[in-house]
Amino acid sequence: MKKEKIGGFLLVSLGILAITIMFFLNPILQNEEYHSFSDTRDIFSIPNFWNVISNLLFVIVGIRGLYMFSKGRRVELHYLILCIGIILTGLGSAYYHFSPNTQSLIWDRLPMTIVFMTLFSTVISEFISKKLGNFILAPLLLIGLASIVYWVYGETHDLRPYVLVQFYPLITILLILVFYKSNTSTKKTYWLLLISYLIAKIVEYYDDFIYDVLTIISGHSLKHIFAGLGLWVLLKSYEERISIMK
């Protein structure tokens, strides 16, 4: 059996398994303690200063991406939406951290679904089928939006669909990198992105411990920095590819 066929079987099986598990899990509710971060310092009259300001990296990365794509002869829709999603993620996360609560968290998570789903469709487009990747872009974005709407307006305020939207694409991308080849991008860049995101989630988990040790910055602020750097590396690889195509 060819490697791609094994990968396809695993991708379909993982999707079925993930959706099945989601339905059997109890509803996941938003823990209000989530809004309690270790570094709450007010600097220059900005509350939670470093958690707010560290999001500027996303905005810079996204604007830089839009600028570099504007110089290309032809730009894929995926990349434009990804850059816009990155900018909105930075703005939404800064807004949330300025006043952390469940209502402001909506504007943090909503643009992140744009990034997750656009990356998912981009990888499918580059490694499996460009036609398929283009076809599923809009449905994936709608699914991401629906996961937030279901959390906010659903009867139980259930986060299960959002959790699926956040983690299923990442696991799927990992499988695609293992089992598929691409003529348009290097696997190294996507591996670096996944590694940076893993590090970001780890430092986020150890938010208090890192702040106690370093005292100048917390794990959550470092999360923004590592995630932003991973996206920076990814967009740089796109830029190099566009420059070759000129």
Side-chain angles (χ1 to χ4, degrees):
M1 186 181 294
K2 290 185 178 180
K3 198 174 182 181
E4 289 83 0
K5 289 185 177 180
I6 297 174
F9 173 78
L10 291 176
L11 290 175
V12 173
S13 300
L14 177 63
I16 295 173
L17 179 62
I19 294 173
T20 302
I21 291 175
M22 185 185 72
F23 279 107
F24 279 96
L25 286 176
N26 292 326
I28 301 174
L29 305 181
Q30 179 62 52
N31 186 349
E32 292 303 317
E33 293 183 2
Y34 177 84
H35 309 303
S36 300
F37 301 101
S38 59
D39 187 359
T40 59
R41 288 174 294 172
D42 187 320
I43 302 177
F44 301 123
S45 299
I46 299 176
N48 311 304
F49 179 81
W50 288 111
N51 282 346
V52 172
I53 295 301
S54 55
N55 283 289
L56 285 177
L57 180 56
F58 291 114
V59 178
I60 293 170
V61 169
I63 291 175
R64 167 62 178 162
L66 289 178
Y67 172 73
M68 73 181 185
F69 290 139
S70 70
K71 298 188 296 183
R73 290 186 301 178
R74 183 174 61 87
V75 180
E76 297 288 343
L77 181 62
H78 291 78
Y79 305 149
L80 290 176
I81 295 177
L82 178 60
C83 288
I84 293 171
I86 293 171
I87 294 171
L88 293 177
T89 294
L91 296 175
S93 183
Y95 172 72
Y96 163 64
H97 285 288
F98 187 84
S99 179
N101 58 72
T102 299
Q103 290 301 311
S104 60
L105 183 58
I106 297 170
W107 304 106
D108 181 12
R109 286 177 172 166
L110 180 58
M112 284 199 293
T113 67
I114 298 175
V115 175
F116 293 139
M117 291 314 211
T118 306
L119 272 175
F120 186 23
S121 64
T122 301
V123 171
I124 289 175
S125 178
E126 294 183 355
F127 286 82
I128 298 179
S129 166
K130 184 174 182 179
K131 184 177 180 180
L132 176 61
N134 292 335
F135 177 76
I136 66 172
L137 174 59
L140 286 176
L141 291 172
L142 289 175
I143 290 172
L145 172 62
S147 72
I148 298 298
V149 171
Y150 183 75
W151 165 47
V152 176
Y153 296 105
E155 184 177 350
T156 60
H157 300 291
D158 186 5
L159 281 167
R160 283 179 300 174
Y162 173 74
V163 171
L164 183 66
V165 163
Q166 179 175 183
F167 292 105
Y168 174 72
L170 295 175
I171 298 173
T172 301
I173 290 172
L174 189 152
L175 288 175
I176 292 173
L177 293 179
V178 171
F179 289 99
Y180 290 86
K181 296 180 180 180
S182 171
N183 295 322
T184 60
S185 64
T186 61
K187 289 188 177 182
K188 179 181 177 181
T189 303
Y190 285 106
W191 279 117
L192 289 174
L193 176 63
L194 290 177
I195 291 170
S196 69
Y197 189 74
L198 175 61
I199 295 173
K201 298 303 289 185
I202 291 173
V203 296
E204 176 188 30
Y205 183 80
Y206 290 103
D207 181 40
D208 292 336
F209 173 77
I210 291 174
Y211 184 56
D212 289 341
V213 173
L214 298 181
T215 68
I216 58 173
I217 196 168
S218 69
H220 200 90
S221 296
L222 288 175
K223 169 199 172 182
H224 298 154
I225 294 172
F226 279 110
L229 289 175
L231 291 167
W232 176 278
V233 171
L234 179 67
L235 292 186
K236 283 293 292 181
S237 73
Y238 292 161
E239 180 181 17
E240 292 171 3
R241 194 161 69 222
I242 290 174
S243 63
I244 292 175
M245 292 169 58
K246 285 185 178 181

